[in-house]
Amino acid sequence: MAKRPTIQDIADEAAVSVATVDRVLNGRLRVREETARKVCEAAHRIGYHATNLIEQRLRADLPELRIGYVLQKERQAFYRALGEEAERAARQHPGIRGRTVIEFASSQSPPEVAGLLRKMKGRVDAVAATAVNHHSVTEAVLDLKDHGMPVIALLNDFAQGERLSYIGLNNLKVGRIAAWMLATAARRPGKIAIFVGGHRWHGHELRETGFRSFFREARPQFTILDTLVNLETRQLTYEATLDLLARHPDVAGLYLAGGGMEGAIQALREVRQPGHVALVVNELTPESRGALRDGYLTMVIATPLHRLCSDLTGMVKTAILGRDGNVPSQLFLEPVIHVPESV
């Protein structure tokens, strides 16, 4: 039978003294965080039975950091996944005892989001939010700022000049990627349609700008139709897509700059053959994965949620605890591209 690892084994593996390991295990005297982490990692490697106890000791001495999230519709798979990743990032981020408070808005309504932001006062140290760019949201950001609570714009920028930072994709670049894909995948030059969630989504405006500029510059033989607004709802997108295809049977490509992809996918399944209309959407969900697999979807441009939440947690740590340098005014993440052969 294999010998059970001992404190001496941990000390040998971590290249520290037995006394140091004992201090980490029993919390007798403070040990430098770097050394304690070294001991913990060594215990993991050799399979020491009380590794969980070491981790608890380490975390007990760490500063607590509370991060609030105001996200959009809870029933959407993407926002549920984002909430789960936010909780995981807070638990696992080094150097803190992180926890999250997550609120979901039921609509794009600026007053509702502003109310959820203000509801975070006294509950968290900083807030990250997905919201439209509107004066009522900006006023809420100023209110939190006056109470010493920084706000980070998440995925979509808002309250520029007042929020602490923006973290997400470079939305101008995302629009150009979508345009390139549609121009490449379309079977013929024709009409191209674009949906946005609303006129106050700053990120959607940037995606539309990048999208249109690419076609003007590189593919002028395509005709870009007037922008459609779907309020990021499945049913409205479904009905609008059916109407679009009836009025413009020669539509060659469709891009959804925001949510509501499920409606477009459903409409194409009902009235078009796979690949007849090139379709690009954002974010990988069970529905978009299935549409990629079945040939109704050409590309998904996805946000790397693990990186997003890890970097955001680091931003809050820097802002609140004053560690790890300065918080950038914006942080662009590289998108993850999914095509039918990659799922």
Side-chain angles (χ1 to χ4, degrees):
M1 192 170 91
K3 179 186 173 184
R4 194 178 195 184
T6 66
I7 292 177
Q8 181 65 62
D9 295 326
I10 299 174
D12 293 341
E13 179 70 19
V16 299
S17 69
V18 171
T20 297
V21 176
D22 180 68
R23 289 200 299 272
V24 173
L25 279 173
N26 298 293
R28 301 183 197 283
L29 293 170
R30 289 191 63 82
V31 176
R32 289 174 54 201
E33 181 181 334
E34 181 183 348
T35 302
R37 179 57 56 189
K38 191 176 178 183
V39 169
C40 184
E41 290 170 354
H44 267 295
R45 286 196 298 272
I46 68 173
Y48 185 68
H49 68 281
T51 300
N52 289 339
L53 173 62
I54 299 175
E55 291 182 335
Q56 290 171 13
R57 294 283 188 194
L58 284 176
R59 297 191 68 80
D61 292 333
L62 296 177
E64 183 182 45
L65 201 61
R66 304 166 301 166
I67 306 173
Y69 283 82
V70 176
L71 305 178
Q72 293 295 305
K73 304 173 184 179
E74 186 174 10
R75 291 197 299 174
Q76 291 185 359
F78 170 72
Y79 285 110
R80 289 200 307 273
L82 175 52
E84 291 167 2
E85 196 60 56
E87 292 176 341
R88 186 178 300 111
R91 288 195 307 269
Q92 297 178 352
H93 199 84
I96 61 168
R97 285 182 294 123
R99 68 179 183 87
T100 57
V101 176
I102 301 176
E103 298 283 354
F104 290 92
S106 61
S107 71
Q108 299 180 14
S109 165
E112 180 186 3
V113 174
L116 292 175
L117 283 169
R118 288 190 170 95
K119 187 178 175 183
M120 290 290 181
K121 280 192 288 189
R123 302 166 66 197
V124 297
D125 301 300
V127 184
T130 302
V132 296
N133 203 12
H134 189 271
H135 63 85
S136 62
V137 176
T138 301
E139 289 168 2
V141 171
L142 285 168
D143 188 9
L144 295 184
K145 191 176 177 182
D146 288 342
H147 284 79
M149 290 176 55
V151 177
I152 296 172
L154 180 63
L155 304 175
N156 180 76
D157 205 359
F158 59 87
Q160 294 90 348
E162 303 301 341
R163 50 77 172 155
L164 174 68
S165 183
Y166 161 77
I167 181 169
L169 302 182
N170 181 332
N171 288 303
L172 196 69
K173 181 178 178 181
V174 167
R176 292 186 66 87
I177 292 171
W180 177 88
M181 186 71 260
L182 290 185
T184 302
R187 295 182 174 183
R188 63 212 174 277
K191 295 175 182 176
I192 302 290
I194 178 173
F195 280 93
V196 298
H199 294 304
R200 287 191 175 273
W201 285 108
H202 183 261
H204 296 188
E205 289 184 339
L206 288 176
R207 289 176 182 180
E208 181 187 0
T209 298
F211 187 82
R212 290 182 177 277
S213 68
F214 174 86
F215 277 104
R216 284 196 304 269
E217 172 190 346
R219 299 291 192 277
Q221 65 270 34
F222 286 86
T223 299
I224 312 303
L225 299 173
D226 290 341
T227 300
L228 298 165
V229 176
N230 66 355
L231 302 180
E232 300 207 300
T233 63
R234 177 178 190 144
Q235 186 62 27
L236 183 56
T237 308
Y238 168 71
E239 295 171 0
T241 302
L242 288 178
D243 178 68
L244 171 74
L245 296 173
R247 289 186 295 108
H248 301 282
D250 57 342
V251 163
L254 176 61
Y255 173 49
L256 271 75
M261 72 170 89
E262 302 86 355
I265 291 169
Q266 181 184 352
L268 288 177
R269 286 184 183 277
E270 291 180 6
V271 300
R272 290 291 189 273
Q273 292 298 312
H276 186 266
V277 176
L279 174 63
V280 174
V281 303
N282 298 288
E283 309 309 347
L284 191 66
T285 67
E287 295 227 20
S288 60
R289 183 184 292 275
L292 277 173
R293 182 191 62 232
D294 297 340
Y296 286 97
L297 187 51
T298 310
M299 174 189 280
V300 174
I301 305 170
T303 304
L305 292 184
H306 177 80
R307 172 76 186 277
L308 176 80
C309 294
S310 177
D311 286 0
L312 190 149
T313 304
M315 276 185 176
V316 174
K317 177 183 174 184
T318 297
I320 301 302
L321 302 179
R323 301 178 184 176
D324 306 324
N326 299 317
V327 176
S329 62
Q330 58 184 14
L331 178 60
F332 292 145
L333 307 178
E334 285 299 314
V336 180
I337 303 299
H338 300 276
V339 295
E341 294 303 317
S342 68
V343 296

